Amino acid sequence: MRTIPQFIMKRVQGRVLAVVTFLLALTLSLGFMPSNLQRVYAQEENLYLDGKNGNDENDGTTQETAVKSFEKAKQMATENPYIEVIYVVDTVPVTGEVSLDNTNAILMRNPGFSGYLLSIPTGKEATLRNITIDGGGENDGKTTKSLIYLQGDLNIEDGTILENNKANDPTRKSTDIYGGAICSDFGGKEKVINMTGGIIRDNRAYFGGGICLSSNTTLNMSGGEISNNQAYSGMTYNGTSYVSGGGIAAYRSSTINLSGDALITENSSEEI
Protein backbone atom coordinates (compact mmCIF):
# COMPACT_ATOMS: atom_id res chain seq x y z
CA MET A 1 0.00 0.00 0.00
CA ARG A 2 1.32 3.46 -1.02
CA THR A 3 2.00 5.86 1.80
CA ILE A 4 0.66 9.41 1.71
CA PRO A 5 4.11 10.98 1.02
CA GLN A 6 4.59 8.59 -1.94
CA PHE A 7 1.17 9.53 -3.32
CA ILE A 8 1.91 13.27 -3.03
CA MET A 9 5.33 12.81 -4.67
CA LYS A 10 3.82 11.05 -7.67
CA ARG A 11 1.20 13.80 -8.05
CA VAL A 12 3.90 16.49 -7.99
CA GLN A 13 6.06 14.58 -10.48
CA GLY A 14 3.07 14.17 -12.77
CA ARG A 15 2.30 17.88 -12.73
CA VAL A 16 5.96 18.84 -13.36
CA LEU A 17 6.06 16.43 -16.31
CA ALA A 18 2.88 17.99 -17.72
CA VAL A 19 4.32 21.50 -17.46
CA VAL A 20 7.59 20.47 -19.11
CA THR A 21 5.69 18.72 -21.90
CA PHE A 22 3.53 21.82 -22.48
CA LEU A 23 6.55 24.15 -22.65
CA LEU A 24 8.35 21.80 -25.04
CA ALA A 25 5.29 21.62 -27.29
CA LEU A 26 4.94 25.42 -27.23
CA THR A 27 8.59 25.89 -28.17
CA LEU A 28 8.31 23.45 -31.06
CA SER A 29 5.08 25.03 -32.32
CA LEU A 30 6.64 28.52 -32.29
CA GLY A 31 9.56 27.17 -34.24
CA PHE A 32 7.22 26.11 -37.03
CA MET A 33 5.27 29.38 -37.08
CA PRO A 34 5.88 31.92 -39.83
CA SER A 35 8.41 34.53 -38.68
CA ASN A 36 5.86 37.36 -38.82
CA LEU A 37 3.54 35.42 -36.47
CA GLN A 38 6.37 34.67 -34.06
CA ARG A 39 6.95 38.41 -33.70
CA VAL A 40 3.55 38.76 -32.07
CA TYR A 41 5.04 37.06 -29.02
CA ALA A 42 8.05 39.40 -28.93
CA GLN A 43 8.21 42.94 -27.67
CA GLU A 44 8.39 45.55 -30.43
CA GLU A 45 11.32 47.92 -30.06
CA ASN A 46 12.07 51.46 -31.22
CA LEU A 47 15.32 53.24 -31.90
CA TYR A 48 16.12 56.96 -31.63
CA LEU A 49 18.29 58.86 -34.11
CA ASP A 50 19.52 62.41 -33.45
CA GLY A 51 21.77 63.98 -36.07
CA LYS A 52 22.54 66.96 -33.82
CA ASN A 53 23.03 65.71 -30.26
CA GLY A 54 23.22 61.94 -30.71
CA ASN A 55 26.25 59.73 -30.16
CA ASP A 56 26.98 56.47 -31.95
CA GLU A 57 28.33 55.08 -28.68
CA ASN A 58 24.81 55.28 -27.22
CA ASP A 59 22.32 52.41 -27.16
CA GLY A 60 19.60 54.39 -29.00
CA THR A 61 16.78 53.23 -26.72
CA THR A 62 15.64 56.72 -25.64
CA GLN A 63 15.71 60.26 -26.99
CA GLU A 64 18.42 61.10 -24.47
CA THR A 65 20.58 58.15 -25.59
CA ALA A 66 19.96 58.48 -29.34
CA VAL A 67 22.56 57.45 -31.89
CA LYS A 68 23.89 60.10 -34.27
CA SER A 69 24.36 58.61 -37.75
CA PHE A 70 21.97 56.86 -40.11
CA GLU A 71 24.62 54.17 -40.69
CA LYS A 72 24.68 53.27 -36.98
CA ALA A 73 20.89 53.19 -36.79
CA LYS A 74 20.71 50.87 -39.79
CA GLN A 75 23.36 48.59 -38.34
CA MET A 76 21.41 48.25 -35.11
CA ALA A 77 18.11 47.65 -36.93
CA THR A 78 19.79 45.00 -39.09
CA GLU A 79 21.10 43.19 -36.03
CA ASN A 80 17.77 43.45 -34.17
CA PRO A 81 14.74 42.43 -36.30
CA TYR A 82 12.33 43.60 -33.57
CA ILE A 83 13.16 47.27 -34.18
CA GLU A 84 10.22 48.55 -36.20
CA VAL A 85 10.52 52.34 -35.94
CA ILE A 86 13.59 54.56 -36.02
CA TYR A 87 12.45 57.91 -34.64
CA VAL A 88 14.29 60.98 -35.91
CA VAL A 89 14.77 63.43 -33.04
CA ASP A 90 16.78 66.01 -35.05
CA THR A 91 17.94 66.39 -38.66
CA VAL A 92 20.37 63.75 -39.91
CA PRO A 93 22.83 64.54 -42.75
CA VAL A 94 23.12 61.66 -45.23
CA THR A 95 25.19 60.78 -48.29
CA GLY A 96 25.65 57.66 -50.39
CA GLU A 97 23.11 54.83 -50.17
CA VAL A 98 20.25 55.47 -47.75
CA SER A 99 18.37 52.19 -47.38
CA LEU A 100 16.74 50.10 -44.68
CA ASP A 101 16.99 46.93 -46.73
CA ASN A 102 17.32 43.77 -44.60
CA THR A 103 15.58 45.41 -41.63
CA ASN A 104 11.97 45.56 -40.42
CA ALA A 105 12.24 49.26 -39.63
CA ILE A 106 10.90 52.50 -41.05
CA LEU A 107 12.18 56.01 -40.45
CA MET A 108 9.64 58.28 -38.73
CA ARG A 109 9.40 61.81 -37.33
CA ASN A 110 9.64 61.79 -33.56
CA PRO A 111 6.41 63.21 -32.08
CA GLY A 112 6.84 66.94 -31.50
CA PHE A 113 9.87 67.35 -33.77
CA SER A 114 9.18 70.07 -36.36
CA GLY A 115 12.27 70.08 -38.63
CA TYR A 116 13.70 68.17 -41.58
CA LEU A 117 14.34 64.47 -41.05
CA LEU A 118 17.22 64.13 -43.51
CA SER A 119 19.49 66.65 -45.23
CA ILE A 120 21.83 66.26 -48.20
CA PRO A 121 24.77 68.68 -48.03
CA THR A 122 26.01 70.88 -50.87
CA GLY A 123 28.16 68.98 -53.36
CA LYS A 124 27.08 65.58 -52.02
CA GLU A 125 24.78 62.90 -53.43
CA ALA A 126 22.41 60.46 -51.74
CA THR A 127 20.41 57.54 -53.11
CA LEU A 128 17.16 56.41 -51.49
CA ARG A 129 16.33 52.74 -52.00
CA ASN A 130 14.08 50.32 -50.07
CA ILE A 131 13.22 52.76 -47.32
CA THR A 132 10.01 54.23 -45.89
CA ILE A 133 10.23 57.73 -44.44
CA ASP A 134 7.08 58.76 -42.55
CA GLY A 135 6.35 62.31 -41.42
CA GLY A 136 4.15 61.25 -38.53
CA GLY A 137 0.93 62.80 -39.82
CA GLU A 138 -0.56 65.87 -38.17
CA ASN A 139 1.96 65.83 -35.30
CA ASP A 140 -0.30 68.17 -33.29
CA GLY A 141 0.28 70.83 -35.96
CA LYS A 142 3.99 71.14 -35.07
CA THR A 143 5.58 70.04 -38.35
CA THR A 144 7.04 72.99 -40.26
CA LYS A 145 9.56 71.31 -42.60
CA SER A 146 9.66 68.64 -45.29
CA LEU A 147 11.04 65.15 -44.87
CA ILE A 148 14.20 65.92 -46.86
CA TYR A 149 16.17 69.15 -47.29
CA LEU A 150 18.19 69.11 -50.50
CA GLN A 151 21.35 71.11 -51.06
CA GLY A 152 23.10 68.45 -53.15
CA ASP A 153 21.77 65.73 -55.49
CA LEU A 154 19.21 63.03 -54.76
CA ASN A 155 18.36 59.73 -56.47
CA ILE A 156 15.01 58.11 -55.65
CA GLU A 157 14.81 54.44 -56.59
CA ASP A 158 12.50 51.44 -56.20
CA GLY A 159 11.23 50.61 -52.73
CA THR A 160 11.33 54.23 -51.54
CA ILE A 161 8.21 55.65 -49.86
CA LEU A 162 8.09 59.29 -48.72
CA GLU A 163 4.78 59.81 -46.99
CA ASN A 164 2.50 61.32 -44.39
CA ASN A 165 4.27 64.62 -43.75
CA LYS A 166 1.81 67.45 -42.96
CA ALA A 167 3.78 70.70 -42.87
CA ASN A 168 2.22 73.98 -41.76
CA ASP A 169 2.90 77.12 -39.72
CA PRO A 170 1.46 76.58 -36.23
CA THR A 171 1.60 80.34 -35.56
CA ARG A 172 -0.53 81.04 -38.67
CA LYS A 173 1.72 84.04 -39.42
CA SER A 174 4.07 82.74 -42.14
CA THR A 175 3.44 81.32 -45.60
CA ASP A 176 6.98 79.93 -45.96
CA ILE A 177 6.12 76.22 -45.81
CA TYR A 178 7.86 74.52 -48.73
CA GLY A 179 7.70 70.90 -49.88
CA GLY A 180 5.74 68.20 -48.09
CA ALA A 181 8.30 65.47 -48.85
CA ILE A 182 11.27 67.28 -50.43
CA CYS A 183 12.41 70.90 -50.38
CA SER A 184 15.45 72.01 -52.34
CA ASP A 185 17.57 74.88 -51.11
CA PHE A 186 16.83 78.42 -52.31
CA GLY A 187 20.56 79.02 -52.82
CA GLY A 188 22.16 79.42 -56.23
CA LYS A 189 23.93 76.04 -56.44
CA GLU A 190 22.47 73.66 -59.03
CA LYS A 191 20.73 70.60 -57.60
CA VAL A 192 19.37 67.48 -59.30
CA ILE A 193 16.68 64.98 -58.33
CA ASN A 194 16.61 61.77 -60.39
CA MET A 195 13.45 59.77 -59.68
CA THR A 196 13.36 56.35 -61.36
CA GLY A 197 11.07 54.61 -58.85
CA GLY A 198 9.43 54.90 -55.46
CA ILE A 199 6.34 56.73 -54.24
CA ILE A 200 5.81 60.23 -52.83
CA ARG A 201 2.33 60.31 -51.33
CA ASP A 202 -0.04 61.83 -48.78
CA ASN A 203 2.11 64.85 -47.94
CA ARG A 204 1.09 68.49 -47.49
CA ALA A 205 2.72 71.94 -47.62
CA TYR A 206 1.83 75.44 -48.79
CA PHE A 207 4.11 75.29 -51.84
CA GLY A 208 4.68 71.88 -53.38
CA GLY A 209 2.59 69.32 -51.55
CA GLY A 210 4.99 66.62 -52.72
CA ILE A 211 8.12 68.43 -53.89
CA CYS A 212 9.21 72.06 -53.90
CA LEU A 213 11.96 72.84 -56.43
CA SER A 214 12.94 76.10 -54.80
CA SER A 215 15.82 77.34 -56.96
CA ASN A 216 18.06 76.01 -59.76
CA THR A 217 16.80 72.47 -59.24
CA THR A 218 16.21 69.92 -62.00
CA LEU A 219 13.77 67.04 -61.48
CA ASN A 220 14.30 64.16 -63.91
CA MET A 221 11.39 61.80 -63.36
CA SER A 222 11.37 58.64 -65.49
CA GLY A 223 9.58 56.33 -63.06
CA GLY A 224 7.82 56.19 -59.73
CA GLU A 225 4.70 57.97 -58.54
CA ILE A 226 3.77 61.30 -56.97
CA SER A 227 0.20 61.02 -55.70
CA ASN A 228 -2.36 62.33 -53.22
CA ASN A 229 -0.26 65.26 -52.09
CA GLN A 230 -1.83 68.61 -51.30
CA ALA A 231 -0.90 72.29 -51.37
CA TYR A 232 -3.01 73.78 -48.62
CA SER A 233 -2.64 76.52 -46.03
CA GLY A 234 -6.11 77.70 -45.05
CA MET A 235 -4.57 81.19 -45.10
CA THR A 236 -5.02 84.12 -47.47
CA TYR A 237 -2.82 86.98 -48.64
CA ASN A 238 -4.71 90.09 -49.71
CA GLY A 239 -7.82 87.94 -49.84
CA THR A 240 -6.27 85.21 -52.00
CA SER A 241 -5.19 81.71 -50.95
CA TYR A 242 -1.40 81.67 -50.88
CA VAL A 243 -0.51 78.18 -52.15
CA SER A 244 0.65 76.40 -55.31
CA GLY A 245 1.69 73.04 -56.69
CA GLY A 246 -0.29 70.11 -55.33
CA GLY A 247 2.27 67.57 -56.53
CA ILE A 248 5.24 69.75 -57.52
CA ALA A 249 5.99 73.47 -57.27
CA ALA A 250 8.92 74.84 -59.31
CA TYR A 251 10.55 78.25 -58.87
CA ARG A 252 13.61 80.28 -59.90
CA SER A 253 15.08 78.52 -62.95
CA SER A 254 13.99 75.06 -61.85
CA THR A 255 13.16 72.42 -64.48
CA ILE A 256 10.91 69.34 -64.62
CA ASN A 257 11.69 66.59 -67.15
CA LEU A 258 9.13 63.76 -67.39
CA SER A 259 9.65 60.53 -69.33
CA GLY A 260 9.14 56.77 -69.24
CA ASP A 261 6.71 55.50 -66.60
CA ALA A 262 6.56 58.64 -64.48
CA LEU A 263 3.13 59.05 -62.87
CA ILE A 264 1.81 62.22 -61.22
CA THR A 265 -1.80 61.76 -60.16
CA GLU A 266 -4.53 62.75 -57.71
CA ASN A 267 -2.66 65.71 -56.25
CA SER A 268 -4.53 68.89 -55.38
CA SER A 269 -4.10 72.56 -54.60
CA GLU A 270 -6.35 74.74 -52.51
CA GLU A 271 -8.77 76.76 -54.63
CA ILE A 272 -7.99 80.42 -55.16
Side-chain angles (χ1 to χ4, degrees):
M1 184 177 67
R2 289 184 298 177
T3 65
I4 291 178
Q6 289 175 327
F7 175 75
I8 293 175
M9 181 64 68
K10 285 187 174 292
R11 289 289 299 274
V12 170
Q13 289 174 341
R15 290 186 178 183
V16 170
L17 179 60
V19 170
V20 171
T21 302
F22 171 76
L23 292 175
L24 179 61
L26 180 61
T27 301
L28 291 173
S29 65
L30 286 174
F32 288 106
M33 283 184 180
S35 59
N36 61 337
L37 187 56
Q38 291 182 43
R39 298 196 62 205
V40 172
Y41 296 91
Q43 182 178 0
E44 296 175 0
E45 299 179 25
N46 300 321
L47 189 66
Y48 292 87
L49 173 60
D50 185 339
K52 182 179 180 181
N53 298 308
N55 187 325
D56 282 348
E57 297 300 317
N58 290 339
D59 62 15
T61 58
T62 68
Q63 295 184 52
E64 293 73 24
T65 61
V67 297
K68 187 178 184 69
S69 68
F70 176 82
E71 292 77 11
K72 181 62 175 180
K74 180 182 179 180
Q75 176 191 333
M76 296 175 73
T78 302
E79 294 171 351
N80 183 354
Y82 300 124
I83 293 175
E84 294 196 342
V85 179
I86 301 173
Y87 284 110
V88 178
V89 178
D90 210 323
T91 308
V92 180
V94 293
T95 59
E97 181 176 289
V98 183
S99 168
L100 286 175
D101 204 11
N102 299 317
T103 78
N104 292 310
I106 67 170
L107 207 64
M108 181 177 285
R109 179 183 299 281
N110 193 55
F113 175 53
S114 63
Y116 302 107
L117 302 195
L118 303 178
S119 66
I120 300 162
T122 302
K124 301 297 183 179
E125 180 177 1
T127 298
L128 302 179
R129 181 186 303 117
N130 295 327
I131 184 171
T132 295
I133 305 177
D134 190 310
E138 296 296 338
N139 192 26
D140 291 329
K142 296 178 180 178
T143 300
T144 62
K145 302 298 183 182
S146 60
L147 297 174
I148 299 172
Y149 182 54
L150 181 65
Q151 294 176 294
D153 297 334
L154 175 64
N155 304 310
I156 304 172
E157 299 184 358
D158 286 342
T160 300
I161 301 176
L162 307 179
E163 65 179 359
N164 201 28
N165 196 61
K166 314 295 185 182
N168 76 121
D169 173 35
T171 70
R172 310 300 292 167
K173 295 178 180 179
S174 173
T175 57
D176 296 337
I177 306 297
Y178 301 101
I182 301 171
C183 176
S184 67
D185 178 43
F186 271 99
K189 294 282 186 178
E190 293 186 358
K191 300 159 285 286
V192 177
I193 301 173
N194 296 308
M195 185 171 182
T196 58
I199 303 173
I200 298 174
R201 67 187 181 197
D202 300 325
N203 301 288
R204 187 179 70 218
Y206 297 176
F207 301 97
I211 301 175
C212 183
L213 308 175
S214 302
S215 177
N216 290 323
T217 307
T218 299
L219 170 63
N220 299 312
M221 185 178 179
S222 59
E225 177 181 315
I226 300 175
S227 61
N228 294 302
N229 301 285
Q230 184 182 32
Y232 176 82
S233 71
M235 301 170 60
T236 60
Y237 182 75
N238 290 335
T240 302
S241 296
Y242 203 60
V243 298
S244 66
I248 306 170
Y251 301 99
R252 300 182 184 179
S253 302
S254 292
T255 303
I256 301 172
N257 298 314
L258 301 178
S259 63
D261 297 323
L263 177 63
I264 302 174
T265 182
E266 300 296 328
N267 301 285
S268 63
S269 181
E270 183 179 3
E271 293 184 6
I272 59 174

